[in-house]
Amino acid sequence: MGHWICCLCSRVANSWMLLLVLAVSCNPSTAATPSPPAPHAKASYSFGRTFLGLDKCNACIGTSICKKFFKEEIRFDTWLSSRLKLPPSYLLSYSGNYTDDAKSWRLVDITRLTSKYQHDRADKHICTSLLKTKTCSLERALRRTRRFQKWLRAKRLTPDLVQGLPSPMLRCPSQRLLDRIVRRYAEVPDAGSIYMDHLTDRDKLRLLYTLSVNSHPILLQIFPDVEGWPFPRYLGSCGRLVVSASTRPLRDFYDAAPEVAADLALQLLAVLRSMGTNDLNYFFYFTHVDAGTFGVFSNGHLFIRDASTLGIIDKEEGTQPTDDQQEYKDVFSCLTVDCQSAFVSCNSIREKHSLVMVCQELLPKLLKGKFQQPVQGKIDSFLQHCADSLDDDQGVNEAVAKLAELLKPLRSCDSRFAYRYPDCKYSDKY
């Protein structure tokens, strides 16, 4: 009897449940009720090896900062939008954000050593000149070259190993400079040695490739900002992208207030003097300057933003110039420039070479029409004298000295110039 009652109760319950389901399904308002939204999944960023240039390694710069990219601790500015798209790959530089703790972020510059078009053209040149094919393994092709085979056997980086490379930094190399490159190459664990024993075959190819394309990241590594050199901090490389501290190009300050322009002009002259005379006895000179060569940090401090056109002459050890008629050239000489391009002779570089170029190209645009007469007229006269005195070292020095004395009282001391404020309040130096 009890069993029959239980079965009856179960059937009644099932019947009521069926009626309830039918009622719900027939009620339009109930049927249209949306289900609770699924938890929002965090978007992930997809680089692809091609964008970073990792697909071309080890014919690349390095991989020291790749983890930062993939852990989203380096972000492009465009990633702050909802769509989170990567910027176009054809750009030469990008503005980004960098963090060590995922809480505080700082601005960085993410740059290519040359345009993607030039990279692609160079890659094609490697394949067609070495393997006679349109596409190839760049690493395999470069490993077969006579120059790289010499690098593999070498225990020390010597002038003959960099002969014919297009970088102005290596046009007049000294052994002391080359030892510094090996000892401070930041894409490998620091060994502090002038010998290349701690460099793997892969490391040697990356170093050679970087020196062949653009020596900018190498200069940032071997003359770091923490030692007082006027370069932005090198943070690392991934594939063919370089990450460094962010600066605004000097061109952004051509319309700046007069006191800002005066301050930047004085800093520019001071940087050039320090590059000509420093404790290490290296003489730096520019082969070319433009509005992007120099940059300004957020604290108002001026630095060399693009070091790719910097040459170096060792005043302590001397140089080993090569005979232009017997210049050794190979595929590494032609990755960014025409193989027929003429190099500047080491003996033709003058002490005031860079000062004259800056007086011709940059200072007139920075200081033009900024001040009242007769001050503006004197500034223009000194700049013209400096620009026209390439063969007159004394004339350049006198013009630059008079220009600096004229500009010093024209700059101000306030929080816009954080790199020297409030020190300027208590020092005659400013």
Side-chain angles (χ1 to χ4, degrees), residues 1-73:
M1 182 71 177
H3 175 72
W4 180 84
I5 292 175
C6 289
C7 291
L8 178 62
C9 292
S10 177
R11 290 178 182 177
V12 171
N14 290 339
S15 299
W16 277 106
M17 184 62 70
L18 178 60
L19 289 174
L20 181 60
V21 170
L22 291 173
V24 171
S25 63
C26 292
N27 188 336
S29 61
T30 306
T33 303
S35 59
H40 177 68
K42 180 182 177 182
S44 61
Y45 307 105
S46 176
F47 280 102
R49 294 168 60 82
T50 302
F51 182 86
L52 293 171
L54 281 171
D55 58 325
K56 303 301 176 64
C57 282
N58 291 301
C60 63
I61 311 165
T63 56
S64 61
I65 210 166
C66 287
K67 287 183 179 179
K68 284 281 187 182
F69 279 104
F70 291 116
K71 289 169 63 178
E72 300 174 22
E73 293 176 347

Side-chain angles (χ1 to χ4, degrees), residues 255-267:
D255 295 327
E259 61 272 19
V260 175
D263 183 81
L264 292 176
L266 283 168
Q267 286 193 73

Side-chain angles (χ1 to χ4, degrees), residues 211-329:
L211 291 172
S212 302
V213 175
N214 189 324
S215 58
H216 170 76
I218 303 299
L219 274 160
L220 269 56
Q221 294 169 43
I222 66 176
F223 298 108
D225 66 309
V226 293
E227 295 180 3
W229 298 96
F231 300 110
R233 179 166 301 180
Y234 177 81
L235 298 173
S237 299
C238 184
R240 289 180 170 179
L241 292 181
V242 178
V243 183
S244 59
S246 177
T247 60
R248 290 176 59 192
L250 188 63
R251 70 171 67 90
D252 290 356
F253 295 86
Y254 283 168
D255 295 327
E259 61 272 19
V260 175
D263 183 81
L264 292 176
L266 283 168
Q267 286 193 73
L268 186 53
L269 295 176
V271 165
L272 293 183
R273 282 196 296 270
S274 70
M275 302 307 278
T277 305
N278 51 74
D279 293 341
L280 293 184
N281 255 342
Y282 287 115
F283 166 54
F284 298 77
Y285 65 92
F286 284 98
T287 58
H288 171 78
V289 295
D290 58 36
T293 302
F294 297 89
V296 183
F297 283 125
S298 58
N299 65 357
H301 207 170
L302 181 138
F303 275 62
I304 297 174
R305 189 171 190 258
D306 179 5
S308 62
T309 61
L310 266 181
I312 302 177
I313 292 178
D314 191 338
K315 295 195 293 184
E316 179 177 306
E317 192 174 288
T319 62
Q320 299 182 27
T322 54
D323 184 353
D324 289 344
Q325 301 303 318
Q326 299 177 353
E327 183 71 75
Y328 174 76
K329 292 184 179 180

